[in-house]
Amino acid sequence: MAVDELQAIIQRCRILEEADFKGEDFNLFQVAGQKCLEDGYAAQLLEVIKNEKNKVIVKNMGWNLISPLVRCIFMYKQEDDKREHCLKILDQLAQLCNPKELFLGLLEQIEQTSGEQVCQTVMLLLQPLQTVLLKLQNKKAYSVGLSLAMIMNQLTSLPVPYTKQQIQEDKLGLCQCCNSVVAFAKPFVNEVVKNMEELPEYSDMELKEELLKFCMKSLKYPLLTAQFEQLEGIEEHPFRHFAAEIIDILWDIRELIPLVFSPHKDTSSNWENQEFADIERKNSADSLACLSYLMFVQHFGIDCFPMVFSPSYLLQCNMTHIEVLLKRTEESVLSKGLDLFESCLLRMEDNSLLHQYLEFRGFINVPQDLVKVMTLCPIEHLRKKSLNILQLFIDKFDTEGKYTLFRCLLKTSNHAGVEGYIIKNIKDQIHLSLTEVSDNIWFRGHHLISLLDLVLLLPEGAETDLLQNSDRIMASLNLLRYLVIKDCESDNETGIWTALPKIEQNFLKPLHVGLNMSKAHYEAEIKNKKANRREAHSSNTVCSVTVSGEKMPAMTTEMQLQVLHSALFTFDLIESVLARVEELIEVKIKVVIDEN
């Protein structure tokens, strides 16, 4: 019987001194104890462990039972008495075993778990692990850091629940586990706080550093990809609770404000391997970006925040974090970048952001990233939101800032739709400069003409793909039509009449040539398609189209003809606006000649 075997080993070991225990004794104790558990004698094993006479044996050998004990706990059902006995054994081992040996045994179990049992194992072992760590004297900070790092590394393999249903189900137990880990860390946070309060010159920063690392890891996972909106039917959102706890820890250890306003010391310098250093730097950037989102969008820890900073300074501080978030493609992360950017902009008055801010790299990079979201993101509501935020960003700059930003976006966007949108904004600014009494010099005279050099031209002359660039061309023609109507040649406030010969040479004439070439090409294509229609019908020939590497549904001849006719309609539209612009120019010039 397993219990008898265990008792025999116990009797033999009782007569030995602690220093005389051999490897064979450890193995025999482990095998006998494991057999007791597997055969259902957990109650008897508990009595053996609780026996005061076996205290020395359990202290030295008990940690060997952790692995079979965990297996048996998961094997028994929740209401089974045997499971309850196993849990009491685990509690006894935490109290009686050598802390160092048991610490390693518990960490080994956490490291070896995987899949659906990760959260179950972690939550099971957190309490005994905490008990053991509180007993440790040497290398306590290192051991706490190792424990937290091991736990977080195991959790990062699990998907973060995102939808309301996923959060409510918490299928793998991640939501519950994250908040249990925070409770596990609390005594060590309290120890750091106590030491800092009692010893102002407190210099042992190791434990504080380990807690800071834990918070930074938690910000990257799960908080960076978590969803924080209040959900109906969920009284306490688990990730909101977890985020609040992490912010509280950072505040308690006096790291919250330093992290928000200046990146923490570069831990990547500790790595000799450059690849590892780059990974560490990226992880730190992700964590800091998430922290800013939690503070400025979700308002966690905002009560601790000093209300002395200008909105423009807060925007400047957050631009690096916004840039980090906007470069990501996951909806949960990208949306955080847009929300953070929008939140910072809404704090500001229109026209209050000085043009000098564009000298900072982030103020140039972020709008370019925003353009990529507008044009490449597959999620419609994020594309629309990014367009609204771009307009908000434009509105906040002073006149020179708007002018500089327009030049930058026209040169870098490489997207006709975006360029058309910028040109429309330029038209609005010209209108303001002509209708309001102001000293606006940036959207009239030589500054405007310099800007129009980027607007009123075809990128590749007459060879330009007019269909692909139709948005930009239509916006440019509308701008030119507005200028010709609004600005009399005698006044020439905008300088457009002086620049007219150059505009005709670089824009209007090549556009005429391009339209004639494009229309001829598409009309010939239509003629060929119609001529081959009968053959296409008889053989059921279809045309395949590939977009971004993905094959689109096949196009019939009728569909191809529809596309070609649509292109011709676009050319006709451009041609009609072009004709109207040239007519207006001719009329204005004739009026001046007649007056003279």
Side-chain angles (χ1 to χ4, degrees):
M1 185 173 162
V3 178
D4 294 335
E5 290 177 21
L6 181 63
Q7 288 288 9
I9 295 164
I10 292 286
Q11 292 300 328
R12 197 182 82 174
C13 290
R14 273 184 188 171
I15 61 175
L16 298 174
E17 292 293 327
E18 189 174 345
D20 294 332
F21 291 152
K22 297 178 181 176
E24 182 185 359
D25 300 321
F26 285 86
N27 291 336
L28 290 171
F29 178 83
Q30 182 182 10
V31 171
Q34 182 174 333
K35 202 164 187 312
C36 285
L37 289 167
E38 291 172 351
D39 291 352
Y41 297 113
Q44 289 84 340
L45 179 59
L46 177 60
E47 291 305 316
V48 169
I49 289 173
K50 289 169 73 176
N51 191 327
E52 189 71 22
K53 295 178 182 178
N54 303 329
K55 189 174 180 180
V56 174
I57 298 169
V58 173
K59 176 189 172 185
N60 287 276
M61 303 184 188
W63 67 273
N64 280 307
L65 296 176
I66 292 295
S67 180
L69 195 57
V70 170
R71 281 201 304 273
C72 288
I73 289 172
F74 289 140
M75 185 174 66
Y76 296 127
K77 292 183 179 178
Q78 196 76 26
E79 64 278 0
D80 198 320
D81 288 342
K82 292 173 184 174
R83 188 177 193 277
E84 191 60 34
H85 290 139
C86 289
L87 290 171
K88 288 180 179 178
I89 292 171
L90 184 60
D91 185 54
Q92 285 293 311
L93 293 178
Q95 302 296 333
L96 300 173
C97 286
N98 181 308
K100 182 181 176 183
E101 300 294 342
L102 186 59
F103 167 69
L104 295 174
L106 292 168
L107 273 197
E108 186 179 10
Q109 280 305 298
I110 292 173
E111 184 180 23
Q112 290 176 353
T113 188
S114 61
E116 294 184 1
Q117 285 198 330
V118 168
C119 289
Q120 296 177 48
T121 305
V122 169
M123 285 191 286
L124 174 67
L125 300 181
L126 278 177
Q127 187 57 57
L129 185 58
Q130 186 189 70
T131 302
V132 170
L133 286 169
L134 290 169
K135 288 182 178 181
L136 285 178
Q137 298 301 321
N138 298 326
K139 295 190 174 180
K140 183 176 182 178
Y142 170 79
S143 301
V144 170
L146 186 61
S147 303
L148 289 168
M150 181 74 71
I151 291 167
M152 294 308 294
N153 285 342
Q154 287 293 75
L155 294 182
T156 51
S157 64
L158 305 177
V160 179
Y162 190 70
T163 65
K164 177 182 175 180
Q165 184 180 351
Q166 289 171 345
I167 292 171
Q168 283 178 318
E169 288 178 357
D170 194 19
K171 199 171 181 181
L172 298 177
L174 180 65
C175 299
Q176 185 183 352
C177 188
C178 285
N179 287 301
S180 298
V181 175
V182 169
F184 164 82
K186 275 293 172 69
F188 310 109
V189 176
N190 294 338
E191 184 178 327
V192 170
V193 171
K194 183 181 177 184
N195 286 333
M196 287 194 299
E197 287 175 350
E198 293 180 357
L199 305 168
E201 70 283 359
Y202 176 59
S203 59
D204 183 11
M205 305 299 282
E206 287 185 18
L207 184 55
K208 180 180 173 180
E209 283 291 322
E210 297 299 341
L211 291 170
L212 179 58
K213 288 177 187 175
F214 162 65
C215 290
M216 294 291 278
K217 285 182 179 176
S218 299
L219 288 165
K220 180 171 174 61
Y221 176 95
L223 295 178
L224 183 62
T225 52
Q227 192 268 108
F228 293 99
E229 299 308 313
Q230 290 288 6
L231 300 173
E232 189 179 342
I234 299 180
E235 188 173 336
E236 185 174 38
H237 195 306
F239 289 125
R240 290 187 69 85
H241 181 265
F242 183 59
E245 293 287 348
I246 293 298
I247 297 291
D248 284 346
I249 291 175
L250 288 171
W251 175 255
D252 288 340
I253 64 175
R254 302 177 187 174
E255 288 290 340
L256 181 60
I257 301 303
L259 280 178
V260 171
F261 285 106
S262 58
H264 194 60
K265 66 182 182 182
D266 189 4
T267 53
S268 60
S269 60
N270 298 334
W271 295 99
E272 292 183 8
N273 185 306
Q274 186 58 42
E275 186 179 349
F276 288 161
D278 292 341
I279 292 171
E280 184 77 14
R281 195 178 292 110
K282 182 184 181 304
N283 289 341
S284 177
D286 287 343
S287 300
L288 292 171
C290 182
L291 177 61
S292 278
Y293 168 81
L294 291 175
M295 285 204 70
F296 295 108
V297 179
Q298 296 297 335
H299 303 131
F300 290 111
I302 202 70
D303 294 340
C304 313
F305 194 75
M307 297 297 179
V308 295
F309 302 105
S310 69
S312 54
Y313 178 71
L314 292 180
L315 177 63
Q316 181 189 340
C317 290
N318 278 308
M319 273 311 218
T320 303
H321 306 316
I322 293 166
E323 187 177 351
V324 167
L325 296 171
L326 291 186
K327 288 192 186 303
R328 298 286 288 269
T329 55
E330 308 96 310
E331 179 182 1
S332 55
V333 183
L334 186 53
S335 62
K336 287 181 176 64
L338 293 174
D339 288 343
L340 179 57
F341 197 12
E342 182 180 45
S343 174
C344 292
L345 292 173
L346 289 174
R347 297 168 190 269
M348 305 181 66
E349 297 288 332
D350 285 355
N351 307 308
S352 65
L353 191 59
L354 301 177
H355 62 273
Q356 286 90 342
Y357 279 96
L358 286 168
E359 294 173 11
F360 295 108
R361 190 194 65 177
F363 282 79
I364 293 295
N365 291 349
V366 166
Q368 291 178 17
D369 290 334
L370 209 54
V371 166
K372 289 176 184 173
V373 178
M374 287 162 50
T375 55
L376 301 176
C377 179
I379 305 164
E380 184 181 3
H381 74 92
L382 293 183
R383 291 200 304 273
K384 288 180 177 178
K385 183 164 187 173
S386 62
L387 177 61
N388 293 335
I389 292 173
L390 178 62
Q391 187 61 58
L392 202 58
F393 187 56
I394 291 169
D395 292 343
K396 299 307 169 187
F397 273 103
D398 61 17
T399 308
E400 186 176 348
K402 289 183 177 74
Y403 178 89
T404 307
L405 186 59
F406 292 155
R407 291 189 70 92
C408 170
L409 290 173
L410 284 172
K411 289 179 179 179
T412 60
S413 67
N414 297 317
H415 188 279
V418 175
E419 290 164 358
Y421 187 78
I422 297 303
I423 292 168
K424 180 183 175 299
N425 265 274
I426 292 171
K427 176 175 168 286
D428 293 341
Q429 291 303 312
I430 295 170
H431 180 73
L432 285 175
S433 79
L434 293 176
T435 55
E436 292 183 356
V437 179
S438 67
D439 55 353
N440 183 348
I441 62 169
W442 294 98
F443 290 95
R444 58 173 71 184
H446 70 276
H447 288 300
L448 176 59
I449 297 305
S450 175
L451 186 58
L452 292 180
D453 287 343
L454 299 175
V455 173
L456 301 176
L457 88 164
L458 295 178
E460 292 155 28
E463 304 288 323
T464 301
D465 185 335
L466 301 187
L467 198 60
Q468 188 175 335
N469 286 275
S470 60
D471 287 344
R472 176 199 169 103
I473 292 168
M474 285 297 292
S476 299
L477 286 171
N478 282 326
L479 171 58
L480 183 55
R481 180 172 60 180
Y482 169 82
L483 289 170
V484 171
I485 293 172
K486 195 72 179 175
D487 192 11
C488 296
E489 187 177 1
S490 56
D491 297 333
N492 198 20
E493 288 184 75
T494 60
I496 189 67
W497 295 100
T498 309
L500 199 56
K502 184 167 66 172
I503 293 169
E504 288 179 337
Q505 187 65 36
N506 295 340
F507 182 55
L508 299 180
K509 286 182 181 177
L511 185 54
H512 267 297
V513 176
L515 281 168
N516 291 335
M517 289 167 58
S518 297
K519 288 177 74 174
H521 172 73
Y522 277 81
E523 284 167 354
E525 280 292 310
I526 289 172
K527 189 175 180 181
N528 288 337
K529 294 294 177 190
K530 286 180 176 178
N532 297 332
R533 183 185 292 179
R534 186 176 303 168
E535 182 185 339
H537 274 306
S538 62
S539 61
N540 292 320
T541 304
V542 293
C543 171
S544 65
V545 179
T546 302
V547 178
S548 299
E550 285 190 32
K551 204 166 187 178
M552 305 301 288
M555 291 179 68
T556 63
T557 304
E558 290 299 327
M559 293 166 69
Q560 294 174 52
L561 281 169
Q562 192 175 353
V563 170
L564 292 170
H565 279 297
S566 176
L568 274 181
F569 176 76
T570 301
F571 298 144
D572 287 341
L573 194 61
I574 293 173
E575 194 169 41
S576 68
V577 179
L578 174 59
R580 177 62 180 150
V581 168
E582 291 181 325
E583 180 187 339
L584 286 168
I585 292 171
E586 188 178 335
V587 167
K588 286 270 186 152
I589 292 174
K590 188 174 184 300
V591 167
V592 172
I593 291 172
D594 290 346
E595 286 177 355
N596 290 338

